[in-house]
Amino acid sequence: MASWHSIPLQVLYQVLGWLTFISWAISCYPQIILNFRWKSVVGLNLDYKLLNLTKQTSYLIYNASLYFSTAIQKQYFEKYGFGQMIPVAANDVAFSAHNVIMTLVVLFQVAIYERGGQKFSKSAIATVSVIWLIATVCFFVALPDHSWLWLISIFNSIQVCMTMIKYMPQTLTNFLRKSTDGFSIGGVLLDFSGGVFNYSQMAVQSIDQGSWVNFSGNVGKVLLSLKAGAWPKANEKTREPLICPSSIDVTDQQMKGLKKSSDLSLP
């Protein structure tokens, strides 16, 4: 695994990462506070929050898996190079875990506060059900070959797709009501700020490493920052269990050996 070449850039990377976390984390609270003050969720589209829960959960699965699983990290290095750094930082895991919890808090408010006759639409429920069915099928597809990198790339793609469509129900609600009462605009502005910080953080890492692989190696994070992903399947030769019985320490000597073996296997 690569190391930082510049201490100032490493510090800047960490600062931008936690600014991303703060911006995206705080973006949850204006809506929660507004709901609490009004004791109502009228004006907040329920489908938006249902889709957002799928988005945040998928992002947590991706971030936590790549950050904590040495088996997945090894597959990442074999695919993108042992001289690269994984494109997930501690702030990414913290943010996604925090936002799953905060989304559940809002859904709890939906259950106890005045909804004005609102309910989850059949189309939103069907969309979420199909997505999780696909994710389940992908898990069993990845299981025989232990293609964990490919599997978490599916979750990364899911969170990107959810990011692209989750605001549509809320936008339609605002248009039909000709009002944003009950919906916090401050949360949207903080969401945008977090995207700017997130993109900047990735750029700093690329500048330090002299490589833009962390962009291509984490397409979902790039598109998430731009609010705009398809991942290639993991190397079929890499077949390791997702949860290893003991920690895998990928040392420089091991990585060189793996790379040498890979080179010898080429025609």
Side-chain angles (χ1 to χ4, degrees):
M1 180 176 177
S3 59
W4 286 89
H5 300 135
S6 169
I7 298 300
L9 287 179
Q10 183 180 9
V11 172
L12 180 58
Y13 174 85
Q14 295 294 337
V15 170
L16 288 171
W18 288 108
L19 284 174
T20 300
F21 168 76
I22 292 172
S23 297
W24 276 346
I26 294 178
S27 69
C28 303
Y29 289 94
Q31 187 66 56
I32 292 175
I33 294 172
L34 183 63
N35 296 343
F36 176 76
R37 286 177 176 176
W38 286 21
K39 298 296 186 294
S40 168
V41 293
V42 175
L44 174 65
N45 188 282
L46 306 189
D47 291 347
Y48 159 57
K49 282 303 173 181
L50 183 61
L51 296 174
N52 192 44
L53 179 61
T54 295
K55 182 266 181 191
Q56 300 296 354
T57 303
S58 300
Y59 197 38
L60 174 60
I61 292 172
Y62 167 78
N63 283 331
S65 298
L66 185 53
Y67 189 78
F68 290 112
S69 174
T70 51
I72 295 178
Q73 290 176 10
K74 186 177 179 181
Q75 290 182 6
Y76 181 88
F77 293 141
E78 288 179 346
K79 182 171 185 59
Y80 294 105
F82 292 104
Q84 303 300 323
M85 301 175 70
I86 62 171
V88 173
N91 65 274
D92 295 314
V93 180
F95 152 72
S96 50
H98 173 272
N99 274 26
V100 167
I101 296 172
M102 291 300 101
T103 303
L104 289 173
V105 169
V106 174
L107 290 174
F108 176 73
Q109 291 181 320
V110 168
I112 64 174
Y113 291 156
E114 171 62 34
R115 289 179 287 179
Q118 291 189 92
K119 59 182 181 179
F120 297 109
S121 70
K122 293 180 180 180
S123 59
I125 295 174
T127 298
V128 170
S129 299
V130 169
I131 286 173
W132 285 109
L133 176 61
I134 292 173
T136 302
V137 171
C138 288
F139 171 78
F140 287 107
V141 170
L143 188 58
D145 292 336
H146 297 162
S147 303
W148 307 126
L149 181 62
W150 172 79
L151 178 62
I152 67 168
S153 78
I154 297 299
F155 284 102
N156 199 20
S157 298
I158 289 173
Q159 69 90 9
V160 171
C161 292
M162 290 295 97
T163 300
M164 296 171 64
I165 69 173
K166 70 177 185 176
Y167 281 116
M168 292 181 181
Q170 185 64 57
T171 302
L172 180 60
T173 295
N174 295 344
F175 174 76
L176 294 176
R177 297 175 70 235
K178 299 297 187 293
S179 170
T180 58
D181 288 345
F183 177 69
S184 175
I185 301 300
V188 178
L189 296 177
L190 286 167
D191 195 19
F192 174 78
S193 299
V196 173
F197 289 133
N198 190 31
Y199 192 81
S200 300
Q201 181 193 29
M202 297 183 70
V204 167
Q205 179 179 337
S206 294
I207 292 171
D208 178 83
Q209 298 296 303
S211 170
W212 298 92
V213 169
N214 69 309
F215 280 81
S216 60
N218 192 352
V219 177
K221 190 173 181 180
V222 177
L223 297 181
L224 177 62
S225 301
L226 299 175
K227 300 299 180 188
W231 275 65
K233 188 173 180 179
N235 192 327
E236 294 184 355
K237 293 182 179 180
T238 305
R239 300 186 179 184
E240 298 215 17
L242 180 60
I243 304 298
C244 299
S246 60
S247 177
I248 300 176
D249 182 17
V250 185
T251 63
D252 290 339
Q253 184 176 1
Q254 288 174 317
M255 290 188 283
K256 288 179 181 178
L258 288 169
K259 188 174 182 181
K260 183 176 179 182
S261 299
S262 177
D263 291 340
L264 291 175
S265 65
L266 294 175

